[in-house]
């Protein structure tokens, strides 16, 4: 009888302790994720102090049509060589200089010569709370609007990139949704019939050279980088590949969202995009629709950590006022934000 009483008491204590342990673990995960973003923020400002601008979301130097190792470039979004993403540019500032030197920057990011470096796991780009994987993934091309198949080089090898659970912010409109003639220079507004011009007004987009002065809303009021868990979609810090797509992780959850194009591998936007009709689709973090170009975190509350331009990190809940989220996503929208969000 005494043994049964002791077992009963122990069971009750374990039942009381388990939620507390889970809360501590969740808090630790969220803190580590925030620390990752703080390190990235320091790296961004070190990069800016050297280059007098922040790195682009990805780099495309050639808009000519061509091919490399069996992959044709000059797709509808004009994605081409070298394709390197924001994370590659930050490696020297993240004490990853050896990895940076492994990349042959004279060849595209998808080249076989870059395969080992491109597959290297970098801890600072990984949130410990993301459950969709952190060991890398095969870059895919579209099969239909919601599914993909592995892209392959001419020798049959797959293109394997390291994961990133963080993506850059392009602002309200999506660079991967522009019409082809306006994918050569994202600083040129695209006229959209019956809607405002398509202006890329976030701090990061293809070939961007955002300066501190151009963030006229203030670094404190502008989201630079935020989470996107691999539970929602596979994303990378390495770069972009022509004809690639970002697919919803339908193997993990029945997301209703569709594929997005290659530059979404490294970026996100807030909406409402001028190409969406009606133009009311604002996807704050953890929007239930699960857009593959939104931010998405896996923490003890719905929402995600974001890095602001001043280097500070905030947790943004899924129920933030949509217009406040839009204001935080622009670098030069002229909105007033009181900080209570």
């Amino acid at each position: 009888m005494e043994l049964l009483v002791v077992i009963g008491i122990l069971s009750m204590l374990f039942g009381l302790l388990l939620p507390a342990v889970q809360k501590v673990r969740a808090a630790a995960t969220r803190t580590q994720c925030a620390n990752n973003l703080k390190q990235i923020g320091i790296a961004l400002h070190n990069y800016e102090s050297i280059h007098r601008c922040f790195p682009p979301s990805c780099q495309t130097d050639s808009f000519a049509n061509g091919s490399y190792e069996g992959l044709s470039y000059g797709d509808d979004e004009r994605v081409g060589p070298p394709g390197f993403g924001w994370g590659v540019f930050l490696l020297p500032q993240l004490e990853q200089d050896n990895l940076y030197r492994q990349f042959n920057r004279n060849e595209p990011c998808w080249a076989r010569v870059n395969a080992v470096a491109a597959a290297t796991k970098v801890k600072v780009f990984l949130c410990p709370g993301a459950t969709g994987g952190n060991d890398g993934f095969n870059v895919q091309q579209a099969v239909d609007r919601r599914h993909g198949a592995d892209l392959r080089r001419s020798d049959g090898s797959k293109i394997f990139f390291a994961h990133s659970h963080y993506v850059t912010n392009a602002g309200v409109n999506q660079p991967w949704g522009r019409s082809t003639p306006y994918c050569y220079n994202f600083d040129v507004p695209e006229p959209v019939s019956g809607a405002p011009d398509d202006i890329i007004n976030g701090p990061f987009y293809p070939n961007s050279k955002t300066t501190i002065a151009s963030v006229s809303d203030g670094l404190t009021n502008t989201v630079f980088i935020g989470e996107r868990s691999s539970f929602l979609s596979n994303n990378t810090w390495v770069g972009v590949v022509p004809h690639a797509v970002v697919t919803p992780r339908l193997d993990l959850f029945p997301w209703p969202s569709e594929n997005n194009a290659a530059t979404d591998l490294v970026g996100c936007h807030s909406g409402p995009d001028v190409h969406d009709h009606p133009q009311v689709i604002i996807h704050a973090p953890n929007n239930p629709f699960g857009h593959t170009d939104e931010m998405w975190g896996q923490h003890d509350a719905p929402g995600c950590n974001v890095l602001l331009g001043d280097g500070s990190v905030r947790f943004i809940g899924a129920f933030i006022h949509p217009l406040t989220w839009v204001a935080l996503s622009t670098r030069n929208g002229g909105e007033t934000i009181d900080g209570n969000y």
Side-chain angles (χ1 to χ4, degrees):
M1 181 63 103
E2 291 176 353
L3 180 61
L4 290 175
V5 170
V6 170
I7 292 173
I9 293 172
L10 288 175
S11 299
M12 185 172 60
L13 289 174
F14 279 124
L16 293 171
L17 276 173
L18 187 58
V21 170
Q22 290 174 332
K23 285 184 178 180
V24 170
R25 185 176 299 168
T29 296
R30 189 160 141 181
T31 299
Q32 180 58 54
C33 177
N35 286 338
N36 288 346
L37 285 169
K38 287 178 182 178
Q39 291 183 58
I40 292 171
I42 293 170
L44 280 172
H45 279 273
N46 287 339
Y47 181 96
E48 190 278 333
S49 68
I50 296 169
H51 300 278
R52 313 314 303 170
C53 66
F54 296 105
S57 66
C58 57
Q59 178 189 13
T60 298
D61 289 341
S62 174
F63 295 110
N65 293 327
S67 66
Y68 189 91
E69 294 189 347
L71 269 76
S72 63
Y73 53 84
D75 57 9
D76 289 345
E77 286 76 37
R78 309 311 296 176
V79 174
F84 288 103
W86 61 277
V88 173
F89 297 110
L90 291 184
L91 289 175
Q93 281 72 48
L94 290 167
E95 299 182 353
Q96 295 286 337
D97 204 49
N98 289 336
L99 177 57
Y100 180 75
R101 288 196 294 268
Q102 289 180 37
F103 283 101
N104 184 338
R105 298 271 311 282
N106 295 316
E107 304 290 342
C109 64
W110 67 86
R112 280 173 290 181
V113 70
N114 288 319
V116 173
T120 302
K121 184 189 295 188
V122 179
K123 187 177 179 180
V124 74
F125 294 136
L126 300 172
C127 172
T131 62
N134 59 20
D135 293 325
F137 62 98
N138 294 322
V139 179
Q140 297 195 318
Q141 61 184 337
V143 170
D144 55 35
R145 296 180 68 180
R146 286 166 49 76
H147 301 84
D150 296 339
L151 271 169
R152 294 178 182 269
R153 304 182 185 92
S154 53
D155 66 348
S157 60
K158 300 175 183 180
I159 300 169
F160 187 87
F161 279 174
H163 269 112
S164 172
H165 298 147
Y166 307 106
V167 289
T168 57
N169 167 39
V172 172
N173 295 307
Q174 50 185 339
W176 42 91
R178 274 192 163 197
S179 61
T180 301
Y182 292 92
C183 289
Y184 293 91
N185 186 347
F186 288 89
D187 290 319
V188 175
E190 176 190 5
V192 179
S193 178
D197 288 351
D198 184 352
I199 299 171
I200 307 302
N201 54 9
F204 295 93
Y205 48 92
N207 296 330
S208 62
K209 294 182 179 180
T210 301
T211 63
I212 290 178
S214 68
V215 187
S216 57
D217 288 350
L219 297 176
T220 306
N221 299 320
T222 305
V223 172
F224 271 38
I225 290 176
E227 294 183 70
R228 188 190 295 156
S229 169
S230 47
F231 182 73
L232 173 63
S233 64
N234 287 318
N235 304 277
T236 187
W237 53 268
V238 175
V240 298
V241 181
H243 304 288
V245 294
V246 178
T247 62
R249 291 295 303 274
L250 299 177
D251 57 323
L252 300 177
F253 189 79
W255 302 107
S257 56
E258 298 179 347
N259 300 341
N260 276 292
T263 50
D264 182 35
L265 282 166
V266 294
C268 74
H269 79 116
S270 70
D273 190 274
V274 295
H275 292 282
D276 292 329
H277 298 285
Q279 293 156 29
V280 295
I281 303 174
I282 299 172
H283 33 70
N286 290 58
N287 184 291
F289 192 83
H291 300 268
T292 58
D293 54 7
E294 70 180 55
M295 293 184 186
W296 181 278
Q298 285 186 276
H299 295 290
D300 51 343
C304 73
N305 287 314
V306 302
L307 171 70
L308 298 172
D310 63 355
S312 63
V313 176
R314 292 278 302 259
F315 185 84
I316 303 294
F319 304 107
I320 185 173
H321 193 286
L323 296 182
T324 301
W325 179 241
V326 169
L328 285 168
S329 297
T330 65
R331 61 181 169 87
N332 55 2
E335 307 95 343
T336 300
I337 304 173
D338 64 6
N340 296 318
Y341 53 86

